[in-house]
Structures are given as structure tokens and as C-alpha cells.
Amino acid sequence: MILVTGGLGFIGSHTCTRLHESGYDYVIVDNLYNSDISVLDAIEKTTGARPKFYNADVCDPSALEVIFRENEIEGIIHFAGYKAVGESVALPLKYYRNNINSTLALCEAMDKFGAQSIVFSSSATVYGEKNPVPYKEDMPADSAANPYGRTKIVCENILRDYQAANPDKKVTLLRYFNPIGAHPGGLLGEDPAGIPDNLFPYILRVAAGKLERLNVFGNDYDTPDGTGVRDYIHIMDLARAHTAALEHLKKSGGFNIYNVGTGKGTSVLEIVKAMSETIGRPLEYVFAPRRPGDIATSYANVDKAREVLGFTAEYGIEKMCEDGWNYARKHFNL
């Protein structure tokens, strides 16, 4: 049985559909902080099976004890955590408390109940501004540009030290780049509470007429068109990386780190252009000042994931926009 923390969030919910397709039994824990219980219905409609669900906070050891006692948890995929870069700059203590305490609580539960493996949802932000792109797993990962990224660095170090002290445990860190898109069935996608902090759900709301225009934060970066460049990966590719990591953990142990991206950078304006072509009309946007904590360019070296996990991203930007727009039309009843 796999415990999926934050399983009703954007990445977690899509990974649950992939777990189902791959024959894994899993249980979800989510406190609905930045997700909605309706996602559980969407997972059921998409997969044909309703997952077992606990509305609980992963930071709460007593809640985890109930979950572990009621289920034979062998492995964990840990998504639960706050993730908005801008908010982390404004509210750093909130981010440190939640993201670090949830990881500590899970390690303690693994010790107490004998779970053997954990796949941790890390981030490309751990590479910071000093490393040259493309980022490789053996580069220093100790200088993130924002508190969100620094919580990921702390959690990575906790898990590194935990595995070193417990050689029978298996730890895999997946350093995500920028997941976008949606499940091709159109029932699962990204629709965060409030004004979206991430680019793609903001674009979808503008395309759907829910917001007037897109704010493009910064047009003076040292990039081809002045806007930020990121490695955008289809959410279903990212979901597949998790089952690839689980399969690899069945036959290997220790501590492992993999980038999960496409190995290709795409600018904000290129995403805007691709979505405009998808919906058949230009998207309205205006330039705004850079946001604190953002960097100019981020994309992955993906050789290790390909060589060790056998994982390669399959989908391009056009497919990401197509599936995202399919979700938005259904979600917003267009």
C-alpha cells in the first residue's frame, strides 16, 4: 500500500490516476488546504475506483498513527506542502513550519510502523541562481532563491541523513521542474484557491474569461524575449515518473536523486503564444515587475532519469496546452 500525502492536489491527484493504472493500492491523506474534496470524485470518475481518503494534516503525528495502523503502508509519496514562491517570501515561517514538520512526522511514522520507502516531491528551486543550466543532480543544491526552495533543501537533507542512519530505508528525491497541462480525460487539472501563483492556471483562467488579462512578471531577464524561461513538463509525464521511481525502488535501495523535466526551456511568452494558438485567439497580457524569488532561466539535464529509471518525457508544449484547455472548458462549463 502506498500512502499519497497531498493526494488531492494538482500533482498528487494525477499521480493517483497513474498509480491506479499501474496496479498499485494506495490511500490518500490531504487536509484540503489548497485542494478540494471534489477532486476525490474526479479521481473516482477518471479511474473507476474511489480511493480511501483521510482528511488530516500530515504534520499531526496522531493522525498519521491512525492512518498507519489502519493500513499496511509500505511506501510513501510525499506531495503535501506549501508551494507558492511569492507567498513563501512574505510568510517564511509558515512555509518552514509546514513543509519541514510534515517530512519529520513521516520519517518518524516510517520508523514506528516499518514503512520502507519514500519518494519526496522536491523542486528545481534547490539549484538556486549560482549553478549553470541545464541543472544536473550532482550540482550544489544549497542556495535556493526563496524560502519555498530552502524548505525543500532542508527536507532533502533530513531525508539524506535519515537514510544514512537507516540503511534499510529507501529514499528517492524527484526534483520537479514546471508541471502544466491536465489529465486528458478533462476531469483533473490545476485550479488553486484564490488568484493562481503559477503561470499555467492563471493562463487558463484568462483563456476562460475568468480573469481579464495575464500579468507577465518581468520582461527584462537575460533570455531571448526577456521573460522567464522554464522547463515545462506535462503533468501526466510527471505522474509517470513517480511510478518509474517506485518500480526502481523495488529492486534497489539507498538514497537517489533525479531531475524530472524535459531538458528544454520555454519562455513565458512562448507559452502564451502556444495557448493562444490552442484557443484560436490572442491572450491578453501585460508586463509587470519581477517577483521576489524568481530567477531568469531553469531547465533540467534529464540524462540520469532516462538512464537509471528509464523515464523520458513524451509530451510537448502543444499537448500540455491542449489538455489544459480541455480541462478548463469542462471545469468552467464553457
Side-chain angles (χ1 to χ4, degrees):
M1 179 76 74
I2 304 298
L3 175 63
V4 183
T5 75
L8 298 189
F10 175 47
I11 304 173
S13 61
H14 287 77
T15 300
C16 285
T17 69
R18 179 66 187 178
L19 289 170
H20 176 83
E21 291 172 10
S22 301
Y24 283 91
D25 292 323
Y26 66 94
V27 58
I28 296 171
V29 56
D30 196 304
N31 67 355
L32 306 179
Y33 170 80
N34 193 25
S35 58
D36 192 273
I37 193 63
S38 64
V39 175
L40 192 63
D41 298 328
I43 293 173
E44 180 179 13
K45 290 175 183 176
T46 299
T47 64
R50 190 171 187 83
K52 191 173 185 180
F53 170 69
Y54 291 85
N55 183 349
D57 190 332
V58 180
C59 294
D60 182 358
S62 61
L64 287 181
E65 179 151 348
V66 171
I67 295 168
F68 276 79
R69 288 194 183 283
E70 293 182 355
N71 304 274
E72 294 185 11
I73 305 298
E74 299 172 3
I76 300 163
I77 304 179
H78 181 26
F79 297 109
Y82 298 155
K83 64 176 186 175
V85 168
E87 185 184 51
S88 79
V89 174
L91 301 170
L93 296 184
K94 173 182 176 179
Y95 273 66
Y96 280 105
R97 181 177 295 110
N98 181 80
N99 293 4
I100 294 170
N101 285 352
S102 61
T103 302
L104 290 171
L106 284 170
C107 289
E108 290 165 349
M110 288 177 70
D111 265 354
K112 187 169 184 178
F113 295 97
Q116 288 300 302
S117 62
I118 182 168
V119 177
F120 176 64
S121 169
S122 193
S123 167
T125 58
V126 302
Y127 291 112
E129 299 179 271
K130 298 177 182 178
N131 290 306
V133 291
Y135 297 139
K136 294 185 68 175
E137 291 89 345
D138 59 0
M139 288 178 173
D142 56 3
S143 58
N146 52 72
Y148 161 72
R150 287 190 277 273
T151 69
K152 293 297 186 182
I153 291 171
V154 173
C155 290
E156 284 196 1
N157 287 329
I158 288 169
L159 290 166
R160 187 192 310 271
D161 293 341
Y162 174 67
Q163 196 284 324
N166 298 274
D168 60 316
K169 302 297 185 184
K170 303 177 181 183
V171 173
T172 291
L173 312 180
L174 296 183
R175 290 176 176 163
Y176 308 157
F177 281 70
N178 290 71
I180 63 173
H183 191 283
L187 299 180
L188 288 168
E190 185 175 16
D191 185 26
I195 300 297
D197 185 73
N198 294 332
L199 172 67
F200 199 69
Y202 205 119
I203 284 178
L204 290 181
R205 290 192 189 182
V206 174
K210 302 299 178 181
L211 292 172
E212 185 177 355
R213 63 177 66 89
L214 171 69
N215 288 318
V216 176
F217 295 104
N219 65 339
D220 57 350
Y221 286 110
D222 184 16
T223 62
D225 62 20
T227 64
V229 169
R230 298 292 183 267
D231 188 337
Y232 295 99
I233 180 171
H234 196 297
I235 186 62
M236 296 311 300
D237 278 332
L238 181 57
R240 187 165 49 83
H242 290 81
T243 52
L246 289 176
E247 289 299 311
H248 189 258
L249 283 177
K250 290 180 180 178
K251 52 192 178 185
S252 69
F255 179 85
N256 305 281
I257 305 172
Y258 304 98
N259 287 335
V260 186
T262 65
K264 178 182 178 182
T266 303
S267 76
V268 173
L269 289 185
E270 287 174 323
I271 292 287
V272 170
K273 179 182 177 182
M275 182 56 77
S276 297
E277 291 174 353
T278 297
I279 66 175
R281 64 180 188 277
L283 277 174
E284 293 291 327
Y285 67 89
V286 295
F287 292 117
R290 297 183 186 188
R291 294 182 302 183
D294 279 348
I295 62 175
T297 303
S298 171
Y299 62 94
N301 178 300
V302 295
D303 292 346
K304 186 178 179 183
R306 182 181 66 250
E307 293 166 3
V308 180
L309 300 181
F311 170 79
T312 302
E314 296 179 358
Y315 303 119
I317 293 297
E318 294 76 15
K319 176 68 169 170
M320 299 178 209
C321 290
E322 176 187 322
D323 287 341
W325 182 232
N326 179 44
Y327 163 74
R329 285 185 299 177
K330 292 184 178 181
H331 185 68
F332 295 119
N333 297 311
L334 301 179

